[in-house]
């Protein structure tokens, strides 16, 4: 079904289908869809999961998101849901290894896509998805980067863009969380083929994306990564030094080894330090701006005016995405805007695994780190046990 065959999005509710009915779909997406249904914007029409019981229970819980229409239809087959329900928007909440094929299928059916992070396991996969997007007016595929959205981020982004606090100079980006052995008992976690990477890819991606949203393009990265605790293929901790195109320099730490869990971004500008401290989401009160001693009180007070408190959330991003759909405009966190965070992560891994500085734009077709985040690096690429024992070449 071509995009041109989809009914215009003006004057009616956006028809939504959810793919994958696990915790993230129930805890984050369903409440957001219910709120927008109350506002007359969306209608949840279907959900699909390989577990039929999960799809059925999700649909049974989803009455507030249906806008008073009939309950959403449960499915176990994506192609069937696209053919029979003809959704305008497909929300993907499945493990990362499935994202590319599911996103491409939805785009080809004429549906816009909102996909949980990490969007896909590699830059090659991302470019394959982008090649399926509409060229003028959609449909487009957007990534769930909800930390970009909300009143606090909007206010600080404006201050930085206007250089109200002077040039940004030094930054720190920290995602130090804790995951135990039971967490990695889930078969697809900690594996390159199914998760795409470790905490840099699956956890720290949110704060790194927010840092890029605030500071703009990065220019080079130097990194280290290690497996210090968990028996997994991927790293469980990484550190990086990042230089930005505007000259600012940053340190980045991503960990799942940290009992005192925190997510933090700090940016030291010429005239003030701005800091965000939270865990999984933030409000205005989680931001702090500390002016330099010579900044007038009236100016410093104006910096503290964040306006109405709109928390970072799936709801705020979905609200903007729906507006973009109605306007036929590419949404934020899609295309080149969404790719920049994935490219930074690929560069982080390449630097860590090759002990070299990696520059923006360096990783493209033909580079092993373009096709897989581990890049086939010895000690990191998956190796079949029998081949490793026999001394044969590793299979990547």
């Amino acid at each position: 079904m071509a995009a041109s065959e989809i009914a215009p999005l003006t004057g009616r509710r956006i028809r939504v289908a959810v793919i994958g009915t696990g915790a993230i779909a129930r805890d984050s997406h369903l409440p957001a869809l219910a709120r927008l249904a109350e506002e007359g914007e969306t209608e949840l029409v279907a959900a699909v999961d390989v577990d039929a019981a999960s799809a059925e229970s999700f649909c049974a819980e989803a009455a507030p998101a249906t806008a008073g229409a009939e309950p959403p239809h449960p499915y176990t087959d994506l192609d069937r849901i696209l053919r029979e329900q003809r959704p305008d928007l497909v929300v993907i909440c499945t493990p990362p290894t499935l994202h590319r094929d599911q996103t491409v299928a939805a785009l080809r059916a004429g549906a816009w896509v909102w996909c949980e992070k990490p969007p896909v396991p590699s830059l090659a996969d991302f470019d394959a998805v982008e090649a399926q997007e509409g060229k003028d007016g959609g449909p487009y595929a957007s990534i769930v980067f909800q930390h970009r959205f909300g009143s606090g981020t909007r206010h600080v982004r404006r201050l930085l863009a206007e250089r109200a606090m002077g040039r940004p100079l030094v930054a720190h980006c920290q995602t130090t969380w804790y995951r135990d052995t039971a967490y990695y008992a889930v078969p697809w976690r900690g594996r390159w083929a199914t998760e795409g990477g470790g905490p840099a890819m699956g956890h720290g991606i949110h704060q790194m994306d927010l840092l890029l949203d605030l500071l703009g393009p990065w220019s080079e990265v130097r990194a280290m990564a290690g497996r210090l605790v968990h028996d997994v293929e991927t790293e469980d901790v990484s550190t990086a030094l990042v230089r930005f195109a505007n000259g600012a320099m940053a340190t980045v730490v991503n960990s799942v080894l940290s009992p005192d869990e925190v997510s933090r971004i700090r940016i030291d500008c010429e005239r003030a330090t701005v800091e965000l401290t939270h865990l999984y989401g933030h409000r205005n009160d989680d931001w702090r701006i500390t002016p330099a001693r010579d900044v007038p009180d009236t100016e410093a007070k104006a910096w503290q005016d964040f306006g109405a408190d709109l928390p970072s959330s799936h709801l705020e991003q979905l609200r903007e995405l729906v507006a973009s759909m109605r306007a036929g405009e590419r949404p934020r966190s899609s295309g080149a805007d969404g790719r920049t965070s994935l490219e930074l992560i690929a560069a982080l891994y390449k630097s860590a695994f090759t002990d070299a500085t990696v520059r923006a734009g360096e990783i493209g077709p033909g580079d092993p780190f373009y096709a897989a985040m581990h890049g086939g690096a010895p000690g990191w690429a998956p190796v079949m046990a029998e081949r490793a024992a026999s001394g044969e070449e590793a299979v990547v």
Side-chain angles (χ1 to χ4, degrees):
M1 180 169 55
S4 60
E5 296 174 331
I6 299 292
L9 299 178
T10 55
R12 66 176 180 86
R13 293 178 184 270
I14 302 279
R15 293 171 54 84
V16 182
V18 173
I19 314 302
T21 56
I24 192 66
R26 295 170 188 263
D27 298 342
S28 298
H29 288 276
L30 194 51
L33 288 168
R35 180 64 178 274
L36 285 194
E38 291 176 2
E39 297 174 7
E41 293 288 351
T42 62
E43 174 190 356
L44 180 61
V45 297
V48 61
D49 198 288
V50 292
D51 183 341
S54 179
E56 290 169 2
S57 66
F58 180 87
C59 289
E61 296 172 15
T66 64
E70 61 182 283
H73 300 275
Y75 287 80
T76 57
D77 183 86
L78 174 59
D79 290 337
R80 186 180 170 198
I81 205 175
L82 294 172
R83 182 176 63 254
E84 294 183 359
Q85 296 298 324
R86 300 182 64 177
D88 305 304
L89 173 64
V90 169
V91 179
I92 297 180
C93 304
T94 54
T97 188
L98 303 174
H99 289 176
R100 171 178 170 168
D101 288 347
Q102 292 174 340
T103 300
V104 167
L107 290 170
R108 286 177 174 171
W112 294 54
V113 174
W114 193 31
C115 182
E116 272 293 340
K117 60 78 190 169
V120 284
S122 71
L123 287 171
D125 289 328
F126 190 95
D127 291 347
V129 166
E130 191 174 3
Q132 295 297 323
E133 291 182 323
K135 302 304 180 185
D136 184 16
Y140 300 116
S142 182
I143 309 165
V144 177
F145 280 146
Q146 76 274 16
H147 289 210
R148 290 191 189 193
F149 298 82
S151 52
T153 301
R154 182 172 61 246
H155 178 65
V156 171
R157 186 191 303 113
R158 180 182 62 79
L159 291 177
L160 290 168
E162 295 174 355
R163 295 290 176 92
M165 300 178 292
R167 290 183 300 125
L169 303 172
V170 182
H172 305 276
C173 180
Q174 176 183 353
T175 305
T176 44
W177 294 355
Y178 186 79
R179 298 294 182 265
D180 59 15
T181 302
Y183 175 84
Y184 284 104
V186 176
W188 59 268
R189 288 179 176 150
R191 298 175 58 197
W192 294 109
T194 50
E195 192 169 18
M201 185 72 150
H203 304 84
I205 188 172
H206 275 306
Q207 296 314 296
M208 289 188 287
D209 177 76
L210 178 54
L211 185 70
L212 290 169
D213 190 53
L214 294 173
L215 290 184
W218 62 277
S219 60
E220 60 180 298
V221 60
R222 182 74 187 229
M224 295 187 294
R227 281 186 294 248
L228 303 187
V229 172
H230 295 292
D231 183 16
V232 292
E233 288 181 357
T234 64
E235 87 288 0
D236 55 17
V237 62
S238 67
T239 64
L241 303 175
V242 181
R243 190 189 306 274
F244 285 80
N246 61 17
M249 293 186 287
T251 60
V252 177
V253 180
N254 301 303
S255 166
V256 288
L257 310 178
S258 310
D260 183 11
E261 296 186 287
V262 69
S263 303
R264 179 178 291 123
I265 286 179
R266 171 181 168 137
I267 302 172
D268 296 324
C269 300
E270 292 175 301
R271 307 182 65 223
T273 292
V274 58
E275 186 170 14
L276 168 65
T277 303
H278 66 114
L279 187 54
Y280 299 137
H282 51 84
R283 310 182 69 101
N284 288 354
D285 287 347
D286 296 315
W287 294 84
R288 183 178 67 189
I289 298 177
T290 304
R293 287 188 293 270
D294 60 349
V295 172
D297 290 344
T298 54
E299 191 171 7
K301 185 177 180 180
W303 295 344
Q304 306 290 344
D305 184 8
F306 283 78
D309 190 5
L310 298 175
S312 67
S313 64
H314 286 69
L315 173 61
E316 289 307 311
Q317 183 172 3
L318 179 59
R319 186 172 277 132
E320 186 172 308
L321 173 58
V322 166
S324 296
M325 291 177 65
R326 294 196 185 283
E329 298 173 348
R330 177 178 287 281
R332 283 200 289 157
S333 78
S334 72
D337 183 48
R339 191 182 191 275
T340 183
S341 298
L342 198 66
E343 185 186 6
L344 175 60
I345 294 168
L348 184 155
Y349 284 131
K350 180 175 181 179
S351 176
F353 300 163
T354 63
D355 193 28
T357 297
V358 178
R359 290 170 175 78
E362 174 180 321
I363 301 175
D367 189 307
F369 289 88
Y370 178 75
M373 289 290 172
H374 56 68
W380 292 98
V383 180
M384 292 176 59
E386 62 272 21
R387 288 180 175 264
S390 66
E392 294 183 52
E393 184 178 356
V395 175
V396 179

